[in-house]
Amino acid sequence: MSQVHWYPGHMAKAMRLIEEQLKVVDFVIECRDARAPMSTRNPALSYSIGQKKRLIVLTKKDLAEPRETEKWVKHLEDEGHEVLVVNVLQDDVKKLMVEKTDIVMAEKRQRDERRGIRPRPARALIVGVPNVGKSSIINKIASRKAAGVENRPGVTQALKLIKVTEQLELVDTPGVLWPKFESETMGIHCALIGSIKETGYPIELVTNYARDYFLHENREVLIERYNMKDFDIMTFYPQIGIHRGYIKEGGDVELDRTRSTFLSDIQNGKLGRITWDRL
């Protein structure tokens, strides 16, 4: 596959804002999607953070494969990071975040205590590429609705300071920090979880990648979801379209609509829990 660059111009502005805030925060909370923990990171962000401590939050754990998530947690912890895995809708995210903050900040707090420095709230910069659930996390742990939440990339537009508890404050960043893809596959994985706009990659490229995955790895879910009878690539989309009733007047299947539905089903977990980035 050829390398594809999806790196909008506003990324540079977002990076400048982040670099300014890094000087005044104690650590960084980086949100990634548990289905694609590598693809939803940003190499430019890692470079900017440098030696600053990092808490990596893997979101949407209910949509990822548990065994693969366990592997990723171990891998990230081996790299020296604290890791938190959450389902924002079900977990007590605020409690879990404060507990992890205590771990991340323990060394600094002990050092400050020895020096006689009065304790102050820990301040964390919370970052993440679009649509990994960063705004949902903020709203869950803040006492008020602090961030706009929509199921499309790039809703958060400005820096905000959010008080979580007496011990923790968050600095939110614009939700415009797009991934810088190191390979076409990583970009496709982001499209499959909804972290980039549909215009980022041709839908045919994305859905054909997923089609091949299901034909090789999980035909059963295709039978269950779409009543698929055969597994020939030529009849793959027509079968889904017929099952959903996407038929034009002349009897042809509406292929564009079918592809969009197939992609939406994947993104929303209708075809089961899938981890696209595998170790």
Side-chain angles (χ1 to χ4, degrees):
M1 288 183 175
S2 60
Q3 186 170 353
V4 173
H5 297 281
W6 176 251
Y7 206 151
H10 54 225
M11 171 92 121
K13 183 183 177 185
M15 289 307 304
R16 281 197 300 275
L17 281 168
I18 286 168
E19 284 166 5
E20 286 168 16
Q21 293 301 315
L22 280 167
K23 299 167 189 171
V24 296
V25 298
D26 299 299
F27 69 104
V28 174
I29 298 169
E30 182 187 358
C31 301
R32 303 185 192 178
D33 193 304
R35 294 169 292 176
M38 183 64 68
S39 299
T40 53
R41 88 199 202 293
N42 190 300
L45 178 65
S46 295
Y47 177 80
S48 295
I49 290 172
Q51 299 304 307
K52 193 78 74 171
K53 291 204 172 205
R54 198 180 328 184
L55 166 59
I56 296 176
V57 181
L58 297 181
T59 63
K60 307 186 185 184
K61 71 177 184 185
D62 53 308
L63 298 176
E65 297 169 53
R67 189 173 295 179
E68 292 300 318
T69 300
E70 285 174 16
K71 290 181 189 175
W72 273 107
V73 170
K74 184 180 186 307
H75 176 77
L76 293 168
E77 287 177 343
D78 287 346
E79 289 185 341
H81 309 301
E82 283 297 323
V83 184
L84 180 61
V85 183
V86 297
N87 172 353
V88 176
L89 297 177
Q90 294 184 355
D91 295 336
D92 188 343
V93 180
K94 184 173 182 176
K95 177 174 176 286
L96 294 169
M97 191 79 80
V98 170
E99 288 172 356
K100 284 292 185 181
T101 296
D102 289 342
I103 295 170
V104 172
M105 292 294 295
E107 195 178 306
K108 183 183 185 300
R109 284 171 176 166
Q110 288 165 10
R111 192 167 60 244
D112 288 350
E113 194 177 331
R114 285 196 303 270
R115 294 173 178 171
I117 299 171
R118 203 166 75 182
R120 61 168 179 76
R123 184 169 288 184
L125 184 69
I126 186 164
V127 298
V129 301
N131 215 29
V132 293
K134 175 170 68 77
S135 295
S136 297
I137 285 175
I138 291 169
N139 290 333
K140 190 77 182 282
I141 64 182
S143 54
R144 57 187 171 76
K145 187 171 182 183
V149 178
E150 290 184 36
N151 191 28
R152 65 181 177 86
V155 175
T156 313
Q157 297 300 333
L159 290 166
K160 303 183 184 77
L161 181 64
I162 300 139
K163 185 173 181 178
V164 179
T165 67
E166 294 298 324
Q167 288 78 41
L168 177 62
E169 295 173 345
L170 297 183
V171 179
D172 188 19
T173 51
V176 291
L177 184 66
W178 296 90
K180 182 182 180 183
F181 302 128
E182 296 163 54
S183 70
E184 184 176 78
T185 302
M186 290 174 73
I188 290 170
H189 289 178
C190 281
L192 285 167
I193 63 172
S195 268
I196 61 171
K197 294 175 181 174
E198 290 182 12
T199 52
Y201 277 82
I203 192 168
E204 293 87 352
L205 181 69
V206 175
T207 54
N208 286 352
Y209 181 96
R211 174 201 65 196
D212 294 345
Y213 166 83
F214 284 105
L215 288 178
H216 285 99
E217 302 293 335
N218 193 355
R219 293 183 174 190
E220 291 77 14
V221 76
L222 298 173
I223 298 168
E224 185 181 331
R225 181 74 181 167
Y226 305 119
N227 195 29
M228 200 163 281
K229 298 284 196 275
D230 70 72
F231 303 102
D232 187 286
I233 61 170
M234 301 303 292
T235 60
F236 184 85
Y237 295 111
Q239 286 184 84
I240 296 174
I242 290 166
H243 178 71
R244 296 301 295 263
Y246 298 161
I247 312 296
K248 298 177 188 175
E249 236 176 77
D252 291 336
V253 170
E254 296 177 77
L255 287 178
D256 289 345
R257 190 178 177 193
T258 299
R259 286 180 184 274
S260 293
T261 293
F262 179 48
L263 180 58
S264 176
D265 282 353
I266 293 165
Q267 291 172 344
N268 294 305
K270 304 294 187 185
L271 295 176
R273 298 168 75 152
I274 308 166
T275 299
W276 295 102
D277 288 352
R278 305 180 89 84
L279 286 168

